[in-house]
Amino acid sequence: MEQKELRIITVFLGIIVAFVAGIVLYQLQSVLLPFILAIFLSYIFKPVVLYLKSKRVPSFVALIVVFVFILGLFFGLSSIIYSSFESFVREFPKYQNKLTIIVSETTTMLDALAAQYDIKPQNFNLADLVDISAVTTVVTSGAGSFLSLLGNLIVVVLLMFFILAGSGDLISKVHFSMARRHSQRLASMIETVDVRVRQYLITKTLISLGTGALTTIILLILGVDFALLWGFLTFLLNFIPNIGSAISVVFPLLISFLQFDSLATPLLVLVLLGATQFAMGNVVEPKLMEFSLNLSPLLVLVSLFFWGWIWGVWGMILAVPMMSTLKIIFENTETLEPIAVLMSSRTDKK
């Protein structure tokens, strides 16, 4: 009886701790999010630093090379994307007439349908639900947020610089500072997190780059406006499992629907982009990923909503690697192993 009561108390304490942790993470977003981003970016660029060190390049020079490369890449990309945002805001009002016609035709059809079934809708106007100026306002604010993100990412890169400075020394420090029976288990956990999270992030980044590039090429061939912007959004959204790939198709589809009078081009956009997402996500990615993270699909979905609530889009992007890291830690902590089993998509028999 006492053991059963102890388990119940433990469960409730776990719920309370999770709730408090969520509030703390939400309040400390401005501090913790850049640090977490820097940690995961360091996983991607750590092999480059170690490779340069193996070629007897001084550590400081190797770090400077990576630092300059990242800053150059980001500033070049940011200038291109920001100009696309400006072009989007400037040219989007030209779709006002097409949108007005669509809304008018839809309203007429709904009125005719309502009259056919003797329905009398009151105080309803479909045009009130569609405000083109609201769209441009959202995009303008998005461009402003992108500029503020530029300053934050500089902080992220600086943090990553210092994290990479100590790359390769952590495991040796663990062995030196702890007893052998404890250090081996901790070192194994650190190495597992390092390998699995790095491979996931590198593979996902390559897949996202390929998907974004193919999206841009397809939209350029079809003549869809703002192809580079949609390709960049596809690259970012592809880091969000399941949901991101679907959302990335919606934006160019809507623009093509407003841009062209025929339905042929929007249908081609839907088919080609959908096929690209399916092929990259279900054919190419499983072949490149040498192992499965073994996370429950339900856990992935819940973590997307949880981290999205706490840290927004960046939280959704980081949800899978963070949950994978937690699962590996739980697997290597005796008292927390049952939680790791619950987080798994399958139970591996020992």
Side-chain angles (χ1 to χ4, degrees):
M1 185 66 179
E2 292 181 358
Q3 188 176 3
K4 184 176 181 181
E5 290 177 352
L6 182 61
R7 288 180 179 177
I8 294 174
I9 292 173
T10 303
V11 170
F12 278 106
L13 284 176
I15 295 173
I16 294 172
V17 169
F19 179 73
V20 173
I23 294 176
V24 172
L25 289 170
Y26 181 79
Q27 295 296 328
L28 296 179
Q29 174 183 353
S30 59
V31 177
L32 292 178
L33 183 55
F35 183 68
I36 298 297
L37 279 171
I39 290 175
F40 286 118
L41 278 176
S42 69
Y43 280 121
I44 296 176
F45 290 99
K46 182 179 176 180
V48 179
V49 174
L50 295 179
Y51 174 78
L52 291 175
K53 285 183 178 180
S54 69
K55 297 299 182 181
R56 296 186 177 182
V57 175
S59 299
F60 182 73
V61 175
L63 291 171
I64 290 296
V65 169
V66 173
F67 185 75
V68 171
F69 171 77
I70 294 173
L71 284 183
L73 179 66
F74 179 74
F75 279 112
L77 185 63
S78 64
S79 62
I80 295 173
I81 299 305
Y82 185 69
S83 64
S84 297
F85 269 117
E86 282 188 326
S87 176
F88 183 86
V89 173
R90 185 175 60 253
E91 298 183 17
F92 198 83
K94 74 180 182 180
Y95 300 115
Q96 177 70 64
N97 293 333
K98 179 68 179 292
L99 190 61
T100 302
I101 293 172
I102 293 174
V103 170
S104 177
E105 292 177 349
T106 304
T107 302
T108 302
M109 182 182 67
L110 291 175
D111 288 340
L113 192 63
Q116 181 179 352
Y117 290 95
D118 197 24
I119 300 174
K120 297 180 180 179
Q122 296 179 347
N123 300 324
F124 174 76
N125 187 2
L126 186 61
D128 295 336
L129 301 177
V130 182
D131 185 5
I132 198 73
S133 62
V135 177
T136 54
T137 301
V138 170
V139 174
T140 304
S141 62
S145 300
F146 184 76
L147 284 180
S148 65
L149 181 63
L150 172 60
N152 291 332
L153 282 180
I154 292 175
V155 175
V156 170
V157 173
L158 287 173
L159 287 171
M160 187 194 70
F161 182 85
F162 289 105
I163 293 172
L164 287 174
S167 61
D169 299 330
L170 182 57
I171 292 180
S172 61
K173 290 178 181 178
V174 168
H175 285 301
F176 182 77
S177 62
M178 301 177 67
R180 184 176 179 82
R181 65 180 185 277
H182 298 304
S183 64
Q184 285 184 336
R185 190 178 185 92
L186 182 57
S188 175
M189 180 183 71
I190 293 172
E191 189 174 357
T192 303
V193 170
D194 193 59
V195 171
R196 291 191 180 181
V197 173
R198 183 192 304 124
Q199 184 178 9
Y200 171 80
L201 289 173
I202 291 177
T203 303
K204 201 67 178 176
T205 300
L206 292 174
I207 294 296
S208 299
L209 279 172
T211 307
L214 287 173
T215 297
T216 302
I217 292 171
I218 290 171
L219 295 178
L220 284 174
I221 292 174
L222 294 177
V224 178
D225 289 343
F226 320 116
L228 185 61
L229 178 60
W230 307 136
F232 177 72
L233 287 177
T234 298
F235 166 73
L236 285 181
L237 292 171
N238 205 58
F239 283 93
I240 303 175
N242 305 323
I243 301 174
S245 58
I247 296 175
S248 65
V249 176
V250 171
F251 291 108
L253 179 63
L254 290 176
I255 285 295
S256 65
F257 183 71
L258 291 174
Q259 181 182 349
F260 299 98
D261 295 328
S262 170
L263 290 177
T265 301
L267 285 176
L268 278 174
V269 169
L270 178 62
V271 171
L272 293 178
L273 294 189
T276 300
Q277 290 286 354
F278 179 83
M280 297 297 284
N282 295 279
V283 179
V284 179
E285 184 171 335
K287 289 185 176 181
L288 292 179
M289 194 81 72
E290 295 180 1
F291 62 90
S292 171
L293 292 175
N294 192 19
L295 290 174
S296 166
L298 179 60
L299 175 67
V300 172
L301 184 63
V302 171
S303 65
L304 285 177
F305 287 109
F306 176 76
W307 289 107
W309 165 62
I310 292 178
W311 289 345
V313 175
W314 285 111
M316 298 180 76
I317 291 173
L318 295 173
V320 171
M322 283 193 292
M323 296 310 294
S324 176
T325 302
L326 282 176
K327 179 175 173 290
I328 294 169
I329 293 173
F330 292 161
E331 285 174 344
N332 289 271
T333 307
E334 187 175 348
T335 56
L336 298 176
E337 278 186 295
I339 300 177
V341 175
L342 293 175
M343 295 173 69
S344 304
S345 60
R346 64 181 184 275
T347 303
D348 295 324
K349 295 182 180 180
K350 294 182 179 181

